[in-house]
């Protein structure tokens, strides 16, 4: 997990837009090899979407060979409803409808009384609204598979730690499905509706398992109301009562937060997870989505200095080096973490010229 903290929400939005542009460019999508971009709704992504539109207008990036696929949609809202995520995307994200995929809030083949969500004990006949929604969800999963998976999934985070509409308690193995919305989430989203009674009670959402299958994930969090969720997701144990905490298990996640959303994180967390930010600048390894980083840890004796590091990789980052800490003691052996594509050769001052090789993983 990497953490990028920006002072303002504007800078955070800019950083996410930059990352998306970077990844699409590095992928070089073509008509035959499309880039699949997972996208969120809500207040958080709006500025990033504006920046992407500006950069598209300026010719910095093209979405011609990008397929977008949305995380979720409210159950019961037709695509014409102004609060449907279909309308949201049309308003905020400029990509031809033929390249956009959004879960249908009303099943595409309408069934009688499609607005109703049956109780868990009922509605098991073949034409029930629930079954129609379930069929849409299964089709969405099949669609993602047929697209070759999601290359980059951009997400926001709910104040209760939800991602997509996976509310606290969601299974980490969950796939795209019908979900009941938490009252807190309905309260939060009532700002987009005339009043809370108009906020749907259910949604369709990619599951946590679906999200974890994405090749790379970037989460944008802005504002003080996201502070607790970010702290729990990043610093506390993986717990299904904070669905975003499952992202700790994903190999390639970047949390981009503004000062307020990151204000509850410990300084050491910011130092450690933030120290890999340089991975994203320049022509680094992670710019190329076909390569995966190697993370190599070496425990060295106190006082060891790396006399020479050679590698055939794009770069090496020393994340933590406590060799200068005289009081470190046995527990404080210097720990270096080298991030690189392949094997790393090094010599240490202890062993003269004997080269060591840390094999790539
Ligand atoms: C919404 C969406 C999520 C979004 C989250 C935060 O309900 N389903 O995808 O990330 O809640 O919303 P906001 O960005 O408005 O704070």
């Amino acid at each position: 997990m990497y953490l990028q903290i920006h002072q303002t929400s504007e800078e955070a939005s800019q950083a996410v837009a930059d990352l998306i542009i970077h990844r699409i460019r590095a992928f070089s999508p073509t008509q035959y090899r499309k880039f699949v971009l997972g996208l969120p709704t809500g207040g958080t992504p709006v500025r990033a979407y504006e920046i992407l539109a500006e950069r598209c207008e300026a010719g910095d990036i093209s979405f011609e060979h990008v397929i977008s696929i949305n995380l979720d949609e409210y159950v019961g809202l037709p695509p014409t409803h102004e609060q449907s995520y279909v309308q949201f995307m049309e308003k905020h994200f400029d990509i031809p409808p033929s390249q956009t995929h959004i879960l249908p809030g009303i099943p595409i083949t309408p069934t009688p009384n499609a607005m109703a969500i049956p109780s868990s004990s009922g509605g098991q006949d073949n034409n029930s609204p629930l079954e129609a929604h379930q069929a849409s969800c299964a089709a969405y999963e099949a669609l993602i598979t047929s697209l070759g998976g999601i290359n980059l999934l951009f997400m926001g985070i709910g104040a209760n730690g939800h991602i997509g509409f996976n509310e606290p308690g969601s299974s980490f193995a969950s796939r795209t499905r019908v979900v009941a919305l938490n009252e807190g989430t309905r309260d939060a989203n009532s700002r987009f509706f005339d009043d809370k009674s108009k906020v749907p009670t259910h949604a369709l959402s990619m599951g946590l398992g679906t999200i974890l299958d994405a090749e790379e994930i970037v989460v944008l969090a802005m504002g003080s109301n996201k502070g607790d969720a970010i702290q729990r997701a990043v610093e506390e144990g993986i717990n299904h009562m904070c669905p975003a905490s499952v992202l700790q298990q994903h190999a390639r996640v970047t949390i981009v937060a503004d000062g307020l959303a990151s204000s509850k994180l410990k300084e050491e967390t910011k130092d450690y997870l933030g120290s890999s930010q340089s991975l994203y600048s320049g022509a680094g390894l992670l710019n190329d989505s076909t390569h995966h980083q190697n993370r190599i840890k070496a425990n060295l004796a106190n006082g060891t200095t790396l006399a020479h590091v050679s590698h055939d990789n794009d770069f090496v980052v020393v994340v933590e080096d406590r060799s200068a800490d005289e009081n470190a003691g046995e527990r404080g052996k210097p720990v270096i973490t080298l991030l690189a594509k392949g094997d790393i050769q090094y010599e240490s001052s202890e062993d003269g010229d004997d080269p060591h090789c840390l094999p790539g993983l």
Side-chain angles (χ1 to χ4, degrees), residues 123-145:
Q124 296 305 309
D125 58 285
N126 284 340
N127 294 313
S128 74
L130 178 59
E131 287 216 348
H133 285 301
Q134 286 171 337
S136 302
C137 292
Y140 211 60
E141 287 281 334
L143 170 70
I144 294 170
T145 304

Side-chain angles (χ1 to χ4, degrees), residues 220-247:
L220 177 60
M222 306 189 307
S224 56
N225 65 326
K226 303 295 170 68
D228 282 331
I230 289 296
Q231 189 277 328
R232 291 172 67 205
V234 173
E235 289 184 339
E236 294 190 4
I238 297 175
N239 184 322
H240 70 171
M241 296 315 286
C242 178
S245 66
V246 77
L247 298 176

Side-chain angles (χ1 to χ4, degrees), residues 40-45 71-72 74 85 155-158 162 164-165 185 189 191-192 226:
T41 51
T44 303
L71 275 162
D72 46 25
Y74 289 116
Y85 288 162
M155 296 193 293
I157 181 171
H162 76 228
F165 266 132
T185 298
N189 288 4
R191 70 191 195 277
F192 299 117
K226 303 295 170 68

